[in-house]
Amino acid sequence: IATNKICGAEALVRWNRSGFGLVYPNDFIPIFEENGFIVDIDYYVFEQVCIHIRKLLDLEKNVVPISVNFSRIHFKNGILPSRLKSCVNHYDIPTSLIEIEITESAFVDDDGYLLTILNEMHNNGFKLSMDDFGSGLSSLNSLRKLPFDVLKLDKDFFQTSSATKRERVVIANIVKMANELNMGIVSEGIETREQADFLKEINCPVAQGYLFAKPMPAKEFENRYC
């Protein structure tokens, strides 16, 4: 926020369905989570990100880290870390250029196995971020024991263009806590300059949202930022 420069991106999925046009995630992700197909979607997006980064590296373009979302479904078995490591090795991608996002709701039913998987990914060099922080009930307890590098502050904190005094106190103290824990913090859903100025005032280093850019095809991203 302080420099107004891009420092990362998030890979999003859209379904360009034949005969219907663009289908947004809220219309198909819940269904794919129910039938398990979300696992294939997540791996597909991850591999596309690896291909994209490899292409940029080969062209000696500017490359920023890209975060990729993974569903809670992956934590029903232990193959996620090895699958991700195998993919980055295949494309010869530095793990520092990929961030793994896991939504906070994945930790509600944690039976202890999640910690093992996260530690393995962390040991493989991936940066881990807790997505939608503050949207669930397990936030602070998860921070105490799970090896996350980044908090992504849920966009619901910024539903209005101007936060109330109470909301500002909550947001400011979450940012303060993250800074004291030496964690990165990203505020999601930023749409107004007033919101960005407030985040700069409370030393929140990074934000994403429509104020800066709307979701765009990979080629447009490459032309604009790389």
Side-chain angles (χ1 to χ4, degrees), residues 75-129:
F75 297 98
K76 292 183 177 180
N77 59 58
I79 67 172
L80 180 62
S82 60
R83 283 283 299 266
L84 302 189
K85 185 64 174 175
S86 175
C87 191
V88 295
N89 286 344
H90 177 74
Y91 291 101
D92 193 21
I93 303 297
T95 53
S96 60
L97 291 178
I98 298 182
E99 183 175 307
I100 307 301
E101 283 194 29
I102 303 156
T103 186
E104 183 194 61
S105 61
F107 319 128
V108 175
D109 300 322
D110 175 32
D111 60 358
Y113 192 50
L114 177 61
L115 178 60
T116 301
I117 296 175
L118 292 179
N119 277 331
E120 187 175 349
M121 289 195 292
H122 211 249
N123 292 336
N124 285 340
F126 291 107
K127 184 179 287 187
L128 304 176
S129 66

Side-chain angles (χ1 to χ4, degrees), residues 42-92:
D42 287 348
Y43 284 134
Y44 170 80
V45 172
F46 185 82
E47 183 170 19
Q48 292 303 307
V49 167
C50 288
I51 292 171
H52 177 75
I53 291 176
R54 182 69 263 160
K55 172 188 173 184
L56 295 177
L57 290 172
D58 290 343
L59 293 173
E60 298 183 345
K61 298 278 190 175
N62 177 50
V63 183
V64 296
I66 298 178
S67 60
V68 185
N69 293 276
F70 282 88
S71 166
R72 73 182 81 181
I73 307 298
H74 291 277
F75 297 98
K76 292 183 177 180
N77 59 58
I79 67 172
L80 180 62
S82 60
R83 283 283 299 266
L84 302 189
K85 185 64 174 175
S86 175
C87 191
V88 295
N89 286 344
H90 177 74
Y91 291 101
D92 193 21

Side-chain angles (χ1 to χ4, degrees), residues 7 18-19 22 26-27 35 55 70 90 153 167 172:
C7 59
S18 179
L22 209 60
N26 288 344
D27 295 325
N35 62 25
K55 172 188 173 184
F70 282 88
H90 177 74
L153 195 58
E167 290 169 335

Side-chain angles (χ1 to χ4, degrees), residues 169-190:
V169 169
V170 171
I171 295 167
N173 279 281
I174 291 174
V175 171
K176 181 175 183 290
M177 177 186 65
N179 288 333
E180 290 183 354
L181 289 171
N182 293 317
M183 299 179 72
I185 185 162
V186 180
S187 291
E188 299 182 290
I190 303 307

